[in-house]
Amino acid sequence: MAPVARSTTHRGGFQSRGRGNGIGRGRGRGRGRGRGNTRGGQVRRGVRKPTFHSTRIGGLVAEQSDESQSDAEIQEEENNSEPSDLDQNNLSSEEDQDTPAVFVKPYSALLQSLNGSSSGVPPPRKKRRLSVEDRIESVTESSKGAAHTVGEVADADLVDESEEDGKIGLERPESVDIDLEDDESLDEFDVHFANPDEEFLQKSVRAAGAADWKIGKSSVLSGWKTIRSYLSCGLSTFKAMESECCNIESLQLKHKLEGSAKRHLPVLENLNAVLASVIFGYQDLLFTDRTVQNAEELRTLTCLHALNHIFKTRDRVIKNNARAAKHDNSADVEWRDQGFTRPKVLMLLPTRQSCVRAIDTIMLLCEPEQQENKKRFQDSYVQTEEMFSENKPDDFRELFEGNDDDMFRLGIKFTRKTVKFFSQFYNSDIIIASPLGLKMALGGPDKKEDYDYLSSIELVIVDQTDGILMQNWQHVEDVFEHLNLQPKETHGCDFSRVRNWYLDGNAKYLRQTIILSSFNCPELNGIFGQRMHNMSGKVKVNRNSYDGTMLELPLQLKQTFSRYETTDPVDDPDFRLNYFVTAIVPGLTKSFKLSSRQSQGVLIFIPSYMDYVRVRNFLEASNATQNVSFGAISEYTSVRDVARARSHFLSGRHSVLLYTGRAHHFRRYPIRGAKKIIMYSLPDNPIFYKEIIAYLATSVSEGKVDARDANVRIIFSKYDAMKLERIVGTKRFTMMLREKGGDTFDFM
């Protein structure tokens, strides 16, 4: 497929990344009791109420009537009506009307009441109708100790646990089986965390503060390349870590992890061997080719590394506790083996289902004898029923199947034989959370800020980052902003055991960060350049070249790529909008004036929500588009409006349909009726390009448009280089960015 360049004079454009304002997705259910003139039904008119009917007898009769009411009537009463806010305010004033009017013989009722009194049975008390607040309070009281059973009322992740004194390894030394492997030889854990070279650390801190990073490229495998960044003072140390590990023994695991690691990772070959050497060498990693196929192996590697780090930290503390007891806590000996707080590993994941997968992997690797609060975890996180049809793509099902709630936070505590879920953060070893869940836990204007539990994080793992990018990326930035800060309170910390580089405020220069994503983008490069300060270096691993998604389309059609010139990434959104208005809109309005069927079915795909708002406002307000009827589907559009927009687009009532990238990410709507596609900007995820083009293939197969008339128009600038390379291929994108003879490229 060869490009044909032709010279045009169009300029301008607009782009803005729509990562913010993510929608939190959740579920809830409620129940309210209906009200009428009576509790059992309506009172027939014309029937007089019995005159001999005292309050005492009325209460007895009402009690018997309530007990005799059938289950079907109760269910019908609960389902038919739900009191509004206004009704709740008037609830107490209507109690008299809620009392059922049941007609019985007064004399029989009196005899029955006297018989009950003579038998020593106290008269029944009249039931008090509970308000909504009373019912919620009663449910909360009855569920203390089991908060996971009232997820609709209380936070499912709420922990009612006091904070411990911050010490780990409280078991008696003689009761713990401690291996002496880290006494016999120094491994990467000792070199990097336990006993770092003080002189090298100080040089690294100064070099990182001055951004004195050196970059070297080295192709490790065919089809893959690594971009290694290292501090100028650490070249010799960095090169020593480049050796590939091909077996489990070379990872220097704790003895209790070796058996399970060999079962689940029998061989480390090719790419996995390279990644393992970086991960277990405590270097920062940005891997941008995560797929559904390699996801499980990557998750096993990162969880194994996290457990190995936790167990080595814990055993070191326990061993030093024994040594301190042997030396009678002599002041001449220092055992610096801890941080300010206990949590050492932070995992950021997009959904509760991704948390379930991580927990399952951790349990397979550590094989604990007991799991505390496991049922609560399963009730709050595990969801087994199928939610999607089989036609959804694999990447969509991996991200959204199961419990797709993106608001969660979970602390995990490890002891010698037990793993405890829902431990208090300050008592936890690992914190697993979504960016939104952790952001809410950090506090804010209406809540006291508390982020001291992030002060001693030594390992950060961000998995399925491509899914997190479609949430609110600012939450991720906020989390990294609060990592490794000096704590505001002591939290029972024994400062005589705190490592010196913690006291000096240098923890961020030893923290390891691992990010796994399906693609690279400016946000991830920003984290790589501004948030990764590891003195051991950082590595970026991605494909050496791309063939291009455009070669994998379901049909052969004309694809036109139009480049516009821009000088500043800040002003790029304005240039993009200007190019769209001056180069794209005139052709559309001209065809719309003809009122032909060919002018219908124009789908405008806009990845950014901010761009979508500007284009929508232009189509609504501009005189040039007054003859253009259009619909719009964004991530905020209601289900009813989405159905209406799709229906009108298919029928031709709307000639144009605006469609956002996040709406496609969260829903993957099968849109029909598309005859021409305009991509306002290229999507970050190359899979979206194929799926959007597939709408044209559907129209061709249904006979709505001829394959020769179906076409795609794409707008891009030099700041779309990474997205362009994944779609058109490495060989083509360089020429398309640098070509001076023309700015329009046609592919057939």
Side-chain angles (χ1 to χ4, degrees), residues 238-266:
F238 187 84
K239 288 186 175 181
M241 297 181 182
E242 292 186 2
S243 59
E244 299 178 16
C245 51
C246 299
N247 53 66
I248 295 298
E249 288 76 10
S250 61
L251 299 181
Q252 298 174 318
L253 299 175
K254 296 294 294 183
H255 291 331
K256 64 184 303 183
L257 293 174
E258 287 183 352
S260 59
K262 290 179 180 178
R263 289 193 297 272
H264 299 287
L265 284 174

Side-chain angles (χ1 to χ4, degrees), residues 239 270 300 356-357 414 427 447 464 496 571 577 623 661:
K239 288 186 175 181
N270 302 329
T300 303
V356 171
R357 296 192 187 101
F414 292 86
N427 304 336
K447 182 181 178 181
Q464 292 182 277
S496 65
D571 298 329
L577 179 61
N623 294 329

Side-chain angles (χ1 to χ4, degrees), residues 18-30:
R19 303 295 186 201
N21 299 328
I23 302 177
R25 305 176 65 186
R27 297 173 180 83
R29 55 179 67 93

Side-chain angles (χ1 to χ4, degrees), residues 31 42 58 77 107 121 123 221 246 276 303 315 339 387 402 411 529 550 582 674:
R31 184 174 66 181
Q42 295 182 350
E77 180 185 2
Y107 186 74
V121 179
L221 298 170
C246 299
C303 290
D315 287 355
M387 299 175 56
M550 62 186 304
T582 58

